[in-house]
Amino acid sequence: MNARTVATQAIAGQRPGTSGLRKKVTVFQQAPYLENFVQSIFDSLEGFEGQTLVLGGDGRFFNDTAIQTIVRMAAANGFGRVLVGQHGILSTPAASCVIRKHAAFGGIVLSASHNPGGPDGDWGLKYNTGNGGPAPEKITEAIYANTLAITRWLTVDASDVNLGVIGTSLVAGMAVEVIDSVADHADLLATLFDFGRIGALLRSGTFRICFDAMHAVTGPTAHEIFIKRLGAPAASVINGVPLPDFGGGHPDPNPTYAEDLMAVMFSEAAPDFGAASDGDGDRNMIVGRRFVVTPSDSLAVLAANAHLVPGYAAGLKGVARSMPTSAAVDRVAAALGVPCFETPTGWKFFGNLLDAGMVTLCGEESAGTGSDHVREKDGVWAVLFWLDILAARGESVEAIVRDHWRRFGRNFYSRHDYEGVDTAAANGLMTHLRASLAALPGQTENGALIASADDFAYTDPVDASVSTAQGIRIGLADGSRIVFRLSGTGTEGATLRVYLERYEPDVAQHGVETQAALAGLIALADTLAGITQRTGRTQPTVVT
Ligand code: VG1
Ligand code: CO
């Protein structure tokens, strides 16, 4: 192998966010933007000589070009083998699964997840470690430091690998294995759920599903599992072919962007169960007939019903949720007598808890749920979990959720996103909030007594690492909460996220419309943060 050294200069702004580095495609296309970042990843790692790297992504525009670049750089840097998904496709949970199953040193996932793709869209990549999970902050910060000090990157002169054909070839002496994109992941999922019971339900003719792959990475997974292995009718999967621009859509599974699924599930002839997943297949949206399940409720329902599912019948070791996620799952954990951990936003914070065997299920309000089967959130896993519960209980999605509320009470919950806000205005809003924290407890605003106010800091219970400034929390005397944070995944201006939560034990109140139930908190959020005054926005861009 003859590595070639290419001189380069540091590029500002390559700090990984909540989930890797995300920028416009046009930014990554300007060499050496990608090369600098990938070399900075390799330079932050030790001991990968001769080891395996897993490589794949969500099929978005520019992935094919980037894969060839990264393969050559991996060879030049001394990796012994690269496993690439066929056509460059590996969903985020599949990549996690492949890293673990094949004992790889780590992996690179090419995706900007739920952000739109195409020549004018977004692109991104993240590094996952040998446990299959996103690199912890210690590594992402080391990568960032390297991007500021970089002087060269390494490559080899070799022709492109044919990503269309499964098999092994050599790139400057390094083995490149093109592998089936879904087989390992599908095999793993088959060990967790009762495929016999789910298959019987899907073939019964009396129970119909609609899975919307949003022209993103879960199309092939959904075909393999729902149609091929479980025998559901072919029409059960819509938008199932991955497209480089996701068909012009926004592959974010929520009621605003999953329009096709919402139209089906709210129609007269709606199927019994609907679901969608995002660009890279780690998020999930669950919909019953004319009934949307919030991600926070979904996590709580999965935890409360896990004993019905073979892979989890032995019981949960514990659960974890990101701080802004509703406390619905906390009530389930208390009833089960297992610990519940509250982490900062981003799946990288669950890794230590999962590795240490302290938790079995994890979830985020942003439509991410997963378990210790991999080290990422897993969209199709969540769908199978729901289907297994539905098969076991024989009730509708809505009936199961309403029964859950009856038992545990309802955590009314909503997230308001203000996208593309002026960065200075968003930073000013957060600075103002931070400055007001000390004085807020004990004050009454809009008739609500504020009990607590802080900026969330997290000490990892396994390695004691500390993460500060993870979101402003305002707690009211009645137990309600408002959380403010700025997104770490956007690529344009700033995105302000406002998370609103109110607990309602009274069953008679559970039918109230969510935004109406939270109206007082929504007004209070504006009073406290000055959203309208500072951002000029009177309405959020997206309400979930
Ligand atoms: C968002 C979500 C967060 C999620 C992250 C990555 O981050 O809020 O819960 O882990 O996206 O998800 P932020 O910083 O924009 O709020 V994905 O599906 O983009 O890998
Ligand atoms: Co995602």
Side-chain angles (χ1 to χ4, degrees):
M1 183 260 296
N2 284 321
R4 188 156 59 80
T5 303
V6 184
T8 190
Q9 286 182 345
I11 299 172
Q14 294 197 322
R15 180 179 233 143
T18 312
S19 182
L21 183 67
R22 293 189 191 169
K23 302 283 175 193
K24 291 280 163 209
V25 168
T26 47
V27 173
F28 273 105
Q29 277 175 324
Q30 288 165 37
Y33 198 91
L34 171 67
E35 292 82 352
N36 271 21
F37 190 69
V38 171
Q39 187 64 50
S40 297
I41 293 175
F42 293 156
D43 288 344
S44 72
L45 309 174
E46 271 173 27
F48 58 78
E49 185 76 34
Q51 303 280 313
T52 299
L53 180 74
V54 171
L55 185 58
D58 61 5
R60 72 176 57 219
F61 180 80
F62 188 58
N63 278 14
D64 46 0
T65 310
I67 285 173
Q68 303 293 348
T69 299
I70 296 170
V71 164
R72 284 190 273 268
M73 289 183 68
N77 277 275
F79 276 95
R81 180 171 72 144
V82 172
L83 298 180
V84 197
Q86 192 180 14
H87 304 298
I89 295 278
L90 277 181
S91 72
T92 285
S96 185
C97 168
V98 171
I99 292 170
R100 295 168 68 79
K101 182 167 175 177
H102 299 272
F105 186 87
I108 293 180
V109 181
L110 312 180
S111 172
S113 187
H114 53 286
N115 299 19
D120 301 319
D122 288 352
W123 201 78
L125 86 171
K126 63 175 170 178
Y127 178 71
N128 282 26
T129 52
N131 72 345
E137 278 194 324
K138 196 173 58 166
I139 295 179
T140 56
E141 284 302 298
I143 294 170
Y144 178 54
N146 287 339
T147 67
L148 298 176
I150 191 167
T151 58
R152 59 90 187 94
W153 55 277
L154 305 178
T155 189
V156 295
D157 293 312
S159 48
D160 284 359
V161 175
N162 181 352
L163 299 175
V165 182
I166 290 178
T168 305
S169 56
L170 287 179
V171 169
M174 180 189 76
V176 179
E177 278 179 44
V178 176
I179 60 168
D180 186 294
S181 297
V182 301
D184 285 335
H185 185 216
D187 290 348
L188 175 62
L189 295 177
T191 66
L192 299 173
F193 303 105
D194 188 336
F195 271 30
R197 174 167 76 184
I198 300 172
L201 181 68
L202 296 182
R203 292 189 303 271
S204 66
T206 57
F207 181 92
R208 289 179 301 127
I209 68 168
C210 178
F211 180 86
D212 185 353
M214 304 187 85
H215 287 302
V217 78
T218 51
T221 322
H223 274 284
E224 171 67 25
I225 294 181
F226 302 129
I227 297 170
K228 232 174 109 190
R229 298 198 186 193
L230 294 170
S236 306
V237 176
I238 61 170
N239 301 324
V241 177
L243 298 175
D245 66 348
F246 309 113
H250 200 135
D252 193 350
N254 63 46
T256 305
Y257 293 128
E259 289 166 59
D260 292 349
L261 178 69
M262 290 295 281
V264 170
M265 295 309 296
F266 280 76
S267 69
E268 273 308 309
D272 302 271
F273 177 84
S277 190
D278 70 331
D280 61 330
D282 56 358
R283 296 187 179 204
N284 72 90
M285 174 187 180
I286 303 295
V287 194
R289 191 180 282 148
R290 291 184 278 281
F291 185 86
V292 177
V293 184
T294 71
S296 293
D297 278 346
S298 178
L299 174 64
V301 168
L302 298 190
N305 291 277
H307 60 281
L308 300 172
V309 172
Y312 306 93
L316 305 178
K317 291 170 184 152
V319 296
R321 63 165 172 85
S322 66
M323 180 274 284
T325 303
S326 98
V329 74
D330 301 34
R331 296 176 183 277
V332 178
L336 294 173
V338 300
C340 177
F341 297 88
E342 186 179 38
T343 60
T345 293
W347 211 262
K348 60 188 169 202
F349 293 102
F350 294 134
N352 278 348
L353 296 169
L354 291 162
D355 282 351
M358 294 163 80
V359 301
T360 308
L361 296 188
C362 305
E364 294 192 285
E365 50 65 39
S366 54
T369 353
S371 86
D372 56 3
H373 68 295
V374 288
R375 293 295 179 273
E376 288 278 7
K377 50 192 193 262
D378 189 340
V380 170
W381 168 90
V383 174
L384 287 167
F385 207 130
W386 264 95
L387 289 173
D388 216 357
I389 292 170
L390 291 168
R393 288 184 53 164
E395 294 163 70
S396 72
V397 171
E398 179 170 353
I400 286 173
V401 174
R402 290 200 184 279
D403 174 62
H404 187 91
W405 292 339
R406 252 191 307 279
R407 212 172 133 207
F408 295 97
R410 177 171 181 186
N411 290 67
F412 280 104
Y413 185 86
S414 183
R415 185 177 97 187
H416 289 195
D417 292 332
Y418 298 81
E419 295 178 350
V421 169
D422 176 69
T423 306
N427 288 334
L429 180 148
M430 293 300 284
T431 306
H432 152 78
L433 269 175
R434 286 202 166 92
S436 67
L437 288 178
L440 283 177
Q443 273 188 37
T444 299
E445 292 282 357
N446 294 12
L449 175 61
I450 298 173
S452 64
D454 70 356
D455 193 349
F456 181 55
Y458 178 66
T459 303
D460 186 293
V462 178
D463 67 12
S465 59
V466 176
S467 304
T468 55
Q470 297 296 319
I472 305 285
R473 302 191 286 190
I474 312 281
L476 303 187
D478 71 355
S480 301
R481 282 200 314 165
I482 306 173
V483 174
F484 300 89
R485 54 179 287 284
L486 298 184
S487 159
T489 59
T491 60
E492 257 174 46
T495 293
L496 170 69
R497 304 203 194 283
V498 183
Y499 309 80
L500 308 137
E501 176 175 9
R502 182 168 79 77
Y503 179 65
E504 177 57 74
D506 181 2
V507 181
Q509 300 299 318
H510 287 172
V512 177
E513 196 272 323
T514 301
Q515 300 307 313
L518 296 172
L521 285 178
I522 294 167
L524 179 60
D526 193 33
T527 304
L528 293 175
I531 301 171
T532 301
Q533 178 215 329
R534 288 173 176 274
T535 68
R537 304 287 178 86
T538 50
Q539 292 294 327
T541 324
V542 178
V543 172
T544 49

